[in-house]
Amino acid sequence: MYNEEIERCPAVQQRIANAKRATGYFATKDYSYRSKEVAGDGWVLIGDAFGFLDPLYSSGVLLALRSGEMAADAIVEGLRKDDVSAAQLGKWGPAFNQGIDRMRRLVCEYYDGFSFGRFVRNFPHLKGKLTDLLIGDLFTDSVDEVWGPMESLYPPEKTAPTPWFSEAAPEVAQNKVNELYLPEGQLR
């Protein structure tokens, strides 16, 4: 279908006639990635363009919609102030990244075999907070109350998942981090 559309549209053919691949192909051991920046002067990344956490955990639609909502608020405010700078358009980034990090932590715990049922049995008063996290209430600081009790159930050799820093390459970070990255320079 795509090739047929290109063949029928001379304007598209003209635009891509001199296109060159900027880099080679890269693979990742999982599908998690996150851009280093949510915005620049005059542009914003939202949804999968900004980052993607985990296809099996099904948080993508929630995170995409929330990033769009947060970015839209910053854009509207910026347009009202005639300010489309990176600082204005990206002011939502730190709060959004904190929410992604909370979901990522749940994903890592799940893949590492953490028993959420055991957690609820040991800490019934935190069942609501854990449920809030699991259903996507990732942008409320009060849910962080679960992490200490969760870690108290770890076996002695286990540590908390490494925080996800968008700058970390796989060689220096652990577990579900930015496995999709491009090396410096362009490949031909």
Side-chain angles (χ1 to χ4, degrees), residues 62-135:
L62 166 86
L63 294 173
L65 291 172
R66 184 67 173 146
S67 69
E69 176 185 28
M70 293 171 85
D73 290 343
I75 292 167
V76 167
E77 180 183 310
L79 292 173
R80 283 189 184 133
K81 298 186 320 187
D82 196 29
D83 179 6
V84 291
S85 67
Q88 171 61 42
L89 298 182
K91 66 191 293 182
W92 59 278
F96 184 72
N97 279 324
Q98 190 173 22
I100 285 181
D101 288 338
R102 288 177 177 127
M103 179 56 78
R104 182 190 160 275
R105 174 119 189 226
L106 289 175
V107 169
C108 289
E109 296 292 359
Y110 171 78
Y111 284 124
D112 202 31
F114 185 80
S115 172
F116 292 99
R118 182 172 162 235
F119 176 83
V120 170
R121 284 190 298 279
N122 281 274
F123 302 99
H125 64 287
L126 294 176
K127 179 181 180 180
K129 299 279 185 189
L130 180 62
T131 301
D132 289 346
L133 278 167
L134 291 168
I135 64 172

Side-chain angles (χ1 to χ4, degrees), residues 34-79:
R34 178 166 41 182
S35 175
K36 292 180 182 179
E37 301 170 354
V38 297
D41 293 340
W43 60 266
V44 176
L45 294 175
I46 62 169
D48 289 353
F50 169 69
F52 184 80
L53 188 57
D54 184 84
L56 297 178
Y57 219 76
S58 302
S59 56
V61 172
L62 166 86
L63 294 173
L65 291 172
R66 184 67 173 146
S67 69
E69 176 185 28
M70 293 171 85
D73 290 343
I75 292 167
V76 167
E77 180 183 310
L79 292 173

Side-chain angles (χ1 to χ4, degrees), residues 9-20:
C9 187
V12 172
Q13 289 176 353
Q14 186 177 11
R15 284 188 179 140
I16 66 172
N18 296 319
K20 294 180 184 174

Side-chain angles (χ1 to χ4, degrees), residues 25 117 161:
Y25 297 100

